[in-house]
Amino acid sequence: MYYYLFDSVASDKKYESLMNRIDFRLIELGLNGRMDKLTILKNMRELIEAAIKRGAETVVIAGDDESITKAVSILAPYNVTLGIIPIGSNQRIARALGIPDGEAACDILSKRVVKSIDLGKVNDQYFLFSLDIPAQAVTVECDGHYQISVLGLPRPFSICNFQPESRSTSSNPEDGILEAVIDDEQSRGMFRKLRTGGATVLPLKRAKIQCATASIPLMLDGHTVVKTPATVEVAPKKLRIIVGKERQF
Amino acid sequence: MAMFNREEDGSRAAETVIGSSVKVEGNFVGSGNVVVEGVVNGTLKTAKDLRVGDAAKIKADVEAANVVVAGEIHGNVKTSGRLEVAASGKVLGNVEAAILVVMEGAIINGKVVMMKAGEAAAAAPVPEKKRTA
Protein backbone atom coordinates (compact mmCIF):
# COMPACT_ATOMS: atom_id res chain seq x y z
CA MET A 1 0.00 0.00 0.00
CA TYR A 2 1.37 3.40 -1.01
CA TYR A 3 1.21 6.61 0.99
CA TYR A 4 2.09 9.93 -0.63
CA LEU A 5 3.18 12.95 1.36
CA PHE A 6 3.54 16.18 -0.58
CA ASP A 7 5.78 18.82 0.91
CA SER A 8 4.51 22.38 1.21
CA VAL A 9 6.67 23.32 -1.80
CA ALA A 10 4.29 21.24 -3.94
CA SER A 11 1.48 23.66 -3.09
CA ASP A 12 3.22 26.46 -5.00
CA LYS A 13 1.16 27.57 -8.01
CA LYS A 14 4.09 27.04 -10.37
CA TYR A 15 3.93 23.29 -9.69
CA GLU A 16 0.18 22.97 -10.26
CA SER A 17 0.48 21.57 -13.76
CA LEU A 18 3.26 19.20 -12.66
CA MET A 19 1.14 17.96 -9.77
CA ASN A 20 -1.74 17.20 -12.16
CA ARG A 21 0.58 15.23 -14.45
CA ILE A 22 1.97 13.29 -11.49
CA ASP A 23 -1.55 12.46 -10.28
CA PHE A 24 -2.52 11.23 -13.71
CA ARG A 25 0.64 9.18 -14.16
CA LEU A 26 0.26 7.49 -10.79
CA ILE A 27 -3.29 6.46 -11.71
CA GLU A 28 -2.13 5.19 -15.10
CA LEU A 29 0.54 3.09 -13.40
CA GLY A 30 -1.89 1.76 -10.81
CA LEU A 31 0.07 3.27 -7.92
CA ASN A 32 -2.92 4.73 -6.13
CA GLY A 33 -2.64 5.50 -2.48
CA ARG A 34 -3.65 7.94 0.17
CA MET A 35 -2.25 11.43 -0.33
CA ASP A 36 -1.57 14.15 2.21
CA LYS A 37 -0.08 17.61 1.96
CA LEU A 38 2.15 19.10 4.61
CA THR A 39 0.93 22.36 6.02
CA ILE A 40 1.80 24.33 9.14
CA LEU A 41 -0.92 22.41 10.95
CA LYS A 42 0.24 18.98 9.87
CA ASN A 43 3.47 17.53 11.21
CA MET A 44 5.48 15.16 9.00
CA ARG A 45 6.23 12.69 11.79
CA GLU A 46 2.58 12.41 12.85
CA LEU A 47 1.35 11.93 9.28
CA ILE A 48 3.94 9.29 8.43
CA GLU A 49 3.47 7.36 11.65
CA ALA A 50 -0.31 7.40 11.21
CA ALA A 51 0.07 6.09 7.66
CA ILE A 52 2.34 3.27 8.81
CA LYS A 53 -0.19 2.36 11.49
CA ARG A 54 -2.84 2.12 8.80
CA GLY A 55 -0.64 -0.35 6.90
CA ALA A 56 1.38 1.74 4.45
CA GLU A 57 4.32 -0.29 3.15
CA THR A 58 5.75 2.36 0.84
CA VAL A 59 5.95 6.01 1.83
CA VAL A 60 6.57 8.37 -1.08
CA ILE A 61 7.86 11.84 -0.31
CA ALA A 62 7.21 14.48 -2.95
CA GLY A 63 9.54 17.33 -2.15
CA ASP A 64 13.13 18.47 -1.98
CA ASP A 65 16.30 17.44 -0.15
CA GLU A 66 15.20 18.82 3.19
CA SER A 67 11.87 17.00 3.27
CA ILE A 68 13.50 13.77 2.10
CA THR A 69 16.20 13.79 4.77
CA LYS A 70 13.60 14.53 7.46
CA ALA A 71 11.54 11.60 6.23
CA VAL A 72 14.60 9.32 6.31
CA SER A 73 15.07 9.94 10.00
CA ILE A 74 11.38 9.25 10.71
CA LEU A 75 11.17 6.10 8.57
CA ALA A 76 14.42 4.46 9.68
CA PRO A 77 13.00 2.54 12.66
CA TYR A 78 10.13 1.14 10.57
CA ASN A 79 10.03 -1.69 8.07
CA VAL A 80 8.79 0.44 5.16
CA THR A 81 10.19 1.46 1.79
CA LEU A 82 10.90 5.08 0.87
CA GLY A 83 10.05 6.43 -2.56
CA ILE A 84 10.80 9.89 -3.90
CA ILE A 85 9.13 12.26 -6.35
CA PRO A 86 11.45 15.26 -6.72
CA ILE A 87 9.68 18.60 -6.52
CA GLY A 88 11.49 21.87 -5.96
CA SER A 89 14.97 23.08 -6.70
CA ASN A 90 17.26 21.21 -4.24
CA GLN A 91 17.34 17.74 -5.72
CA ARG A 92 20.82 16.40 -5.13
CA ILE A 93 19.50 13.37 -3.24
CA ALA A 94 17.23 12.41 -6.14
CA ARG A 95 20.21 12.80 -8.55
CA ALA A 96 22.35 10.56 -6.38
CA LEU A 97 19.61 7.93 -6.34
CA GLY A 98 19.02 8.16 -10.09
CA ILE A 99 15.49 9.54 -9.78
CA PRO A 100 14.47 11.95 -12.56
CA ASP A 101 12.35 15.08 -12.09
CA GLY A 102 8.66 15.33 -12.60
CA GLU A 103 6.28 12.58 -13.64
CA ALA A 104 9.19 10.42 -14.85
CA ALA A 105 9.82 9.72 -11.15
CA CYS A 106 6.50 7.82 -11.11
CA ASP A 107 7.93 5.34 -13.59
CA ILE A 108 10.84 4.74 -11.21
CA LEU A 109 8.31 3.99 -8.47
CA SER A 110 6.57 1.58 -10.79
CA LYS A 111 9.80 -0.27 -11.70
CA ARG A 112 10.40 -0.62 -7.97
CA VAL A 113 14.13 -1.27 -7.85
CA VAL A 114 14.68 -1.36 -4.09
CA LYS A 115 18.05 -1.05 -2.39
CA SER A 116 18.75 -1.42 1.31
CA ILE A 117 21.17 1.34 2.20
CA ASP A 118 23.17 2.20 5.27
CA LEU A 119 22.28 5.11 7.50
CA GLY A 120 24.32 6.86 10.14
CA LYS A 121 22.86 6.84 13.64
CA VAL A 122 23.74 9.42 16.25
CA ASN A 123 22.12 9.09 19.64
CA ASP A 124 18.54 8.26 18.51
CA GLN A 125 18.55 10.11 15.21
CA TYR A 126 19.42 8.87 11.74
CA PHE A 127 21.14 10.61 8.87
CA LEU A 128 21.50 9.73 5.23
CA PHE A 129 24.52 11.81 4.19
CA SER A 130 26.57 13.37 6.92
CA LEU A 131 26.98 14.58 10.44
CA ASP A 132 28.77 17.93 10.47
CA ILE A 133 30.97 18.91 13.38
CA PRO A 134 31.80 22.63 13.72
CA ALA A 135 35.32 23.99 14.05
CA GLN A 136 35.77 23.40 17.75
CA ALA A 137 38.33 21.51 19.80
CA VAL A 138 36.71 18.10 19.71
CA THR A 139 38.12 14.62 20.07
CA VAL A 140 36.72 11.80 18.05
CA GLU A 141 37.36 8.29 19.29
CA CYS A 142 36.95 5.75 16.50
CA ASP A 143 35.96 2.11 16.89
CA GLY A 144 37.29 2.16 20.44
CA HIS A 145 40.83 1.90 19.11
CA TYR A 146 42.16 5.33 18.14
CA GLN A 147 41.46 9.04 18.40
CA ILE A 148 41.45 11.69 15.72
CA SER A 149 42.32 15.29 16.42
CA VAL A 150 43.16 18.28 14.28
CA LEU A 151 46.60 19.84 14.55
CA GLY A 152 46.75 23.62 14.82
CA LEU A 153 43.51 25.62 14.55
CA PRO A 154 40.25 23.67 14.94
CA ARG A 155 38.65 22.78 11.66
CA PRO A 156 35.14 21.61 10.82
CA PHE A 157 34.76 18.00 9.88
CA SER A 158 32.15 15.41 9.08
CA ILE A 159 31.23 11.83 9.61
CA CYS A 160 29.82 10.77 6.25
CA ASN A 161 27.70 7.84 5.19
CA PHE A 162 27.31 8.72 1.53
CA GLN A 163 29.01 11.41 -0.51
CA PRO A 164 27.67 11.24 -4.04
CA GLU A 165 30.10 13.84 -5.40
CA SER A 166 33.16 12.43 -3.72
CA ARG A 167 36.08 10.80 -5.46
CA SER A 168 36.62 8.52 -2.48
CA THR A 169 36.04 4.91 -3.39
CA SER A 170 34.46 4.38 0.03
CA SER A 171 31.54 6.66 -0.85
CA ASN A 172 29.00 3.89 -1.02
CA PRO A 173 25.86 3.67 1.11
CA GLU A 174 25.91 -0.11 0.94
CA ASP A 175 29.41 -0.78 2.32
CA GLY A 176 28.58 -0.79 6.03
CA ILE A 177 31.18 1.91 6.72
CA LEU A 178 31.14 5.58 7.68
CA GLU A 179 33.99 7.97 6.90
CA ALA A 180 35.49 10.72 9.01
CA VAL A 181 36.27 13.48 6.53
CA ILE A 182 38.36 16.55 7.29
CA ASP A 183 39.07 18.75 4.31
CA ASP A 184 40.61 22.07 3.54
CA GLU A 185 37.61 23.84 2.02
CA GLN A 186 36.20 26.71 4.05
CA SER A 187 32.65 26.67 2.74
CA ARG A 188 30.80 23.52 3.68
CA GLY A 189 27.44 22.08 2.84
CA MET A 190 25.69 18.76 2.77
CA PHE A 191 27.66 17.75 -0.29
CA ARG A 192 31.27 18.75 -0.52
CA LYS A 193 33.76 18.00 -3.22
CA LEU A 194 36.77 16.24 -1.78
CA ARG A 195 40.21 16.97 -3.03
CA THR A 196 42.06 13.87 -1.99
CA GLY A 197 45.30 15.82 -1.94
CA GLY A 198 44.26 17.81 1.15
CA ALA A 199 41.43 15.78 2.66
CA THR A 200 41.59 13.27 5.47
CA VAL A 201 39.38 10.25 4.95
CA LEU A 202 39.22 7.64 7.71
CA PRO A 203 36.78 4.72 7.49
CA LEU A 204 35.06 3.72 10.73
CA LYS A 205 31.98 2.00 12.07
CA ARG A 206 31.54 3.80 15.37
CA ALA A 207 32.78 7.04 16.85
CA LYS A 208 32.39 8.98 20.08
CA ILE A 209 32.48 12.75 19.75
CA GLN A 210 33.27 14.90 22.75
CA CYS A 211 34.20 18.48 23.39
CA ALA A 212 36.22 19.10 26.54
CA THR A 213 34.90 22.59 27.22
CA ALA A 214 31.20 22.58 26.37
CA SER A 215 28.35 20.73 24.73
CA ILE A 216 28.43 21.71 21.06
CA PRO A 217 25.78 21.28 18.35
CA LEU A 218 26.26 18.74 15.57
CA MET A 219 24.24 19.05 12.36
CA LEU A 220 22.63 16.03 10.73
CA ASP A 221 22.06 16.33 6.98
CA GLY A 222 22.02 20.09 7.28
CA HIS A 223 18.84 20.45 9.34
CA THR A 224 18.67 18.47 12.59
CA VAL A 225 20.82 19.33 15.59
CA VAL A 226 22.12 16.98 18.25
CA LYS A 227 24.57 17.90 21.01
CA THR A 228 27.78 16.38 22.22
CA PRO A 229 28.68 14.02 23.74
CA ALA A 230 27.42 11.92 20.86
CA THR A 231 27.97 8.37 19.68
CA VAL A 232 27.80 7.89 15.92
CA GLU A 233 27.55 4.47 14.36
CA VAL A 234 26.65 2.95 11.06
CA ALA A 235 23.24 1.26 10.80
CA PRO A 236 23.92 -1.20 7.98
CA LYS A 237 21.16 -1.73 5.40
CA LYS A 238 18.77 0.19 7.60
CA LEU A 239 16.55 1.85 5.00
CA ARG A 240 14.87 0.39 1.94
CA ILE A 241 14.63 2.94 -0.83
CA ILE A 242 13.40 2.89 -4.42
CA VAL A 243 16.23 3.89 -6.75
CA GLY A 244 16.76 4.50 -10.45
CA LYS A 245 19.20 3.00 -12.94
CA GLU A 246 21.30 6.19 -13.03
CA ARG A 247 22.12 6.09 -9.32
CA GLN A 248 25.63 7.00 -8.17
CA PHE A 249 26.40 3.73 -6.39
CA MET B 1 56.00 3.21 -8.48
CA ALA B 2 53.65 0.41 -9.51
CA MET B 3 52.15 0.08 -6.03
CA PHE B 4 50.46 3.49 -6.17
CA ASN B 5 50.03 3.83 -9.97
CA ARG B 6 46.31 3.33 -9.68
CA GLU B 7 46.12 6.15 -7.14
CA GLU B 8 48.39 8.53 -9.04
CA ASP B 9 46.43 8.31 -12.29
CA GLY B 10 43.26 9.17 -10.40
CA SER B 11 41.42 6.03 -11.36
CA ARG B 12 41.19 4.80 -7.76
CA ALA B 13 41.78 6.87 -4.62
CA ALA B 14 43.43 5.52 -1.43
CA GLU B 15 40.85 4.24 0.99
CA THR B 16 42.35 5.89 4.08
CA VAL B 17 44.08 9.24 3.92
CA ILE B 18 45.46 10.92 7.03
CA GLY B 19 45.99 14.54 5.98
CA SER B 20 48.79 16.84 7.01
CA SER B 21 46.72 18.65 9.65
CA VAL B 22 45.46 15.52 11.40
CA LYS B 23 46.80 13.39 14.26
CA VAL B 24 45.72 9.81 14.87
CA GLU B 25 46.58 8.26 18.24
CA GLY B 26 46.01 4.66 19.13
CA ASN B 27 45.87 1.36 17.26
CA PHE B 28 44.81 1.87 13.67
CA VAL B 29 43.96 -1.28 11.72
CA GLY B 30 42.82 -0.84 8.13
CA SER B 31 41.93 -3.20 5.35
CA GLY B 32 42.64 -0.91 2.38
CA ASN B 33 45.45 1.28 1.11
CA VAL B 34 46.62 3.95 3.56
CA VAL B 35 48.31 7.28 2.85
CA VAL B 36 49.75 9.17 5.81
CA GLU B 37 50.62 12.86 5.44
CA GLY B 38 50.10 13.81 9.10
CA VAL B 39 50.94 12.34 12.51
CA VAL B 40 50.28 8.81 13.75
CA ASN B 41 51.17 7.61 17.25
CA GLY B 42 50.58 4.06 18.39
CA THR B 43 50.39 1.19 15.87
CA LEU B 44 49.43 1.17 12.22
CA LYS B 45 48.47 -1.99 10.35
CA THR B 46 46.85 -2.57 7.03
CA ALA B 47 46.35 -5.59 4.81
CA LYS B 48 47.19 -3.48 1.74
CA ASP B 49 49.72 -0.79 0.91
CA LEU B 50 51.03 2.08 2.99
CA ARG B 51 52.56 5.33 1.80
CA VAL B 52 54.20 7.71 4.26
CA GLY B 53 54.36 11.23 2.81
CA ASP B 54 57.42 13.42 3.17
CA ALA B 55 55.89 15.58 5.91
CA ALA B 56 54.45 12.65 7.84
CA LYS B 57 55.68 11.67 11.30
CA ILE B 58 54.81 8.22 12.54
CA LYS B 59 55.70 7.03 16.04
CA ALA B 60 54.34 3.56 15.66
CA ASP B 61 55.12 0.03 14.68
CA VAL B 62 53.92 -0.37 11.13
CA GLU B 63 52.78 -3.40 9.18
CA ALA B 64 51.51 -3.47 5.60
CA ALA B 65 51.67 -5.51 2.40
CA ASN B 66 53.97 -2.94 0.75
CA VAL B 67 55.38 0.28 2.18
CA VAL B 68 56.81 3.47 0.69
CA VAL B 69 58.44 5.83 3.20
CA ALA B 70 59.19 9.41 2.28
CA GLY B 71 58.71 10.79 5.82
CA GLU B 72 59.67 9.58 9.29
CA ILE B 73 58.86 6.37 11.06
CA HIS B 74 60.01 5.95 14.67
CA GLY B 75 59.17 2.32 15.08
CA ASN B 76 59.54 -1.07 13.48
CA VAL B 77 58.41 -1.72 9.93
CA LYS B 78 57.19 -5.10 8.80
CA THR B 79 56.09 -5.92 5.30
CA SER B 80 55.57 -9.21 3.52
CA GLY B 81 56.30 -7.44 0.22
CA ARG B 82 58.33 -4.41 -0.74
CA LEU B 83 59.70 -1.63 1.42
CA GLU B 84 60.95 1.45 -0.38
CA VAL B 85 62.66 4.22 1.59
CA ALA B 86 62.76 7.39 -0.47
CA ALA B 87 65.57 9.96 -0.38
CA SER B 88 63.70 11.98 2.29
CA GLY B 89 62.66 8.91 4.23
CA LYS B 90 63.81 7.90 7.71
CA VAL B 91 63.13 4.64 9.47
CA LEU B 92 64.35 4.61 13.06
CA GLY B 93 63.59 1.06 14.02
CA ASN B 94 63.92 -2.50 12.81
CA VAL B 95 62.85 -3.50 9.36
CA GLU B 96 61.52 -6.78 7.94
CA ALA B 97 60.81 -7.01 4.24
CA ALA B 98 60.95 -9.40 1.32
CA ILE B 99 62.21 -6.67 -1.01
CA LEU B 100 64.11 -3.61 0.15
CA VAL B 101 64.80 -0.49 -1.90
CA VAL B 102 66.78 2.31 -0.24
CA MET B 103 67.30 5.53 -2.21
CA GLU B 104 70.37 7.70 -1.90
CA GLY B 105 70.00 9.94 1.16
CA ALA B 106 67.51 7.66 2.96
CA ILE B 107 68.15 6.71 6.59
CA ILE B 108 67.56 3.36 8.28
CA ASN B 109 68.77 3.00 11.88
CA GLY B 110 67.91 -0.48 13.03
CA LYS B 111 68.19 -4.14 12.24
CA VAL B 112 67.29 -5.19 8.72
CA VAL B 113 65.92 -8.68 8.23
CA MET B 114 65.21 -9.88 4.72
CA MET B 115 62.33 -12.31 4.61
CA LYS B 116 62.70 -15.39 2.44
CA ALA B 117 60.85 -15.30 -0.88
CA GLY B 118 58.49 -18.03 0.27
CA GLU B 119 57.43 -15.97 3.29
CA ALA B 120 56.32 -13.01 1.16
CA ALA B 121 52.52 -13.01 0.83
CA ALA B 122 52.34 -10.64 -2.13
CA ALA B 123 55.52 -9.13 -3.52
CA ALA B 124 55.03 -6.07 -5.72
CA PRO B 125 56.77 -5.97 -9.11
CA VAL B 126 60.26 -4.40 -8.96
CA PRO B 127 61.06 -1.65 -11.46
CA GLU B 128 64.71 -0.63 -12.12
CA LYS B 129 65.84 1.63 -9.25
CA LYS B 130 69.10 3.10 -7.99
CA ARG B 131 70.51 1.31 -4.99
CA THR B 132 72.84 2.64 -2.28
CA ALA B 133 76.46 1.53 -2.59
Side-chain angles (χ1 to χ4, degrees):
Chain A
M1 180 181 137
Y2 285 76
Y3 172 71
Y4 297 88
L5 184 56
F6 290 85
D7 193 3
S8 49
V9 69
S11 302
D12 195 316
K13 266 213 164 320
K14 67 180 175 184
Y15 296 117
E16 197 175 326
S17 156
L18 172 63
M19 295 304 299
N20 291 336
R21 295 200 304 274
I22 288 172
D23 268 345
F24 185 68
R25 189 68 185 138
L26 289 173
I27 293 167
E28 269 191 324
L29 292 168
L31 300 177
N32 310 61
R34 183 180 169 126
M35 294 185 177
D36 275 322
K37 280 189 183 165
L38 272 181
T39 64
I40 52 170
L41 298 175
K42 291 184 184 177
N43 173 278
M44 182 186 270
R45 180 175 289 275
E46 287 168 3
L47 288 170
I48 289 177
E49 288 178 347
I52 293 171
K53 247 189 196 166
R54 287 192 300 270
E57 292 161 347
T58 303
V59 173
V60 180
I61 302 296
D64 60 9
D65 286 349
E66 187 175 337
S67 41
I68 295 165
T69 52
K70 283 180 181 164
V72 163
S73 198
I74 297 166
L75 288 168
Y78 298 101
N79 189 21
V80 295
T81 302
L82 170 65
I84 295 169
I85 297 175
I87 296 179
S89 50
N90 298 329
Q91 294 301 340
R92 296 173 93 163
I93 295 174
R95 300 275 169 283
L97 298 175
I99 299 169
D101 289 344
E103 63 267 40
C106 304
D107 293 75
I108 299 294
L109 292 177
S110 173
K111 285 181 185 155
R112 210 177 164 87
V113 174
V114 178
K115 289 279 178 185
S116 293
I117 61 171
D118 304 334
L119 296 179
K121 183 178 178 188
V122 56
N123 299 348
D124 289 326
Q125 308 260 10
Y126 291 89
F127 62 90
L128 176 60
F129 289 96
S130 67
L131 166 75
D132 289 328
I133 304 166
Q136 303 257 2
V138 294
T139 53
V140 179
E141 187 192 310
C142 302
D143 293 328
H145 296 312
Y146 62 92
Q147 275 192 351
I148 308 170
S149 51
V150 174
L151 299 169
L153 289 175
R155 190 186 290 253
F157 69 98
S158 303
I159 309 273
C160 300
N161 174 48
F162 177 37
Q163 304 168 78
E165 293 177 357
S166 164
R167 282 185 271 156
S168 163
T169 57
S170 301
S171 176
N172 183 339
E174 297 178 289
D175 60 4
I177 291 172
L178 301 174
E179 296 172 310
V181 176
I182 307 169
D183 63 27
D184 290 333
E185 286 179 332
Q186 287 306 305
S187 69
R188 303 186 54 79
M190 190 155 65
F191 301 90
R192 69 198 51 72
K193 287 193 201 287
L194 289 183
R195 293 188 226 118
T196 51
T200 290
V201 179
L202 278 154
L204 54 94
K205 292 191 176 178
R206 190 180 161 92
K208 270 192 211 162
I209 304 166
Q210 304 188 97
C211 181
T213 49
S215 181
I216 58 166
L218 310 175
M219 189 78 84
L220 275 66
D221 284 339
H223 58 73
T224 304
V225 175
V226 295
K227 295 241 176 161
T228 57
T231 299
V232 188
E233 56 191 338
V234 66
K237 307 218 181 289
K238 186 68 182 172
L239 180 70
R240 290 205 309 274
I241 191 162
I242 297 172
V243 297
K245 213 168 47 167
E246 306 298 321
R247 62 189 178 274
Q248 293 175 19
F249 58 93
Chain B
M1 165 99 212
M3 179 179 11
F4 288 101
N5 272 351
R6 288 185 303 168
E7 180 185 340
E8 286 162 9
D9 68 16
S11 61
R12 183 183 174 93
E15 290 166 38
T16 299
V17 179
I18 298 170
S20 55
S21 58
V22 170
K23 180 164 79 171
V24 171
E25 284 183 294
N27 302 325
F28 179 87
V29 178
S31 51
N33 295 331
V34 178
V35 175
V36 179
E37 303 283 357
V39 174
V40 176
N41 297 338
T43 61
L44 196 164
K45 266 192 195 177
T46 178
K48 290 202 175 166
D49 300 336
L50 168 66
R51 180 167 76 187
V52 180
D54 53 13
K57 288 187 177 1
I58 298 181
K59 282 187 189 162
D61 288 339
V62 159
E63 194 172 330
N66 298 286
V67 181
V68 173
V69 182
E72 280 183 25
I73 298 181
H74 296 249
N76 301 324
V77 177
K78 185 173 177 183
T79 168
S80 54
R82 175 187 167 100
L83 167 62
E84 178 176 328
V85 188
S88 56
K90 277 188 202 171
V91 178
L92 308 177
N94 299 331
V95 156
E96 269 182 65
I99 298 165
L100 178 62
V101 177
V102 183
M103 307 299 272
E104 187 174 344
I107 293 172
I108 301 180
N109 281 347
K111 193 165 85 168
V112 174
V113 175
M114 300 307 299
M115 295 168 69
K116 291 179 190 168
E119 289 172 355
V126 181
E128 289 297 311
K129 288 282 185 183
K130 287 194 296 185
R131 293 179 186 267
T132 53

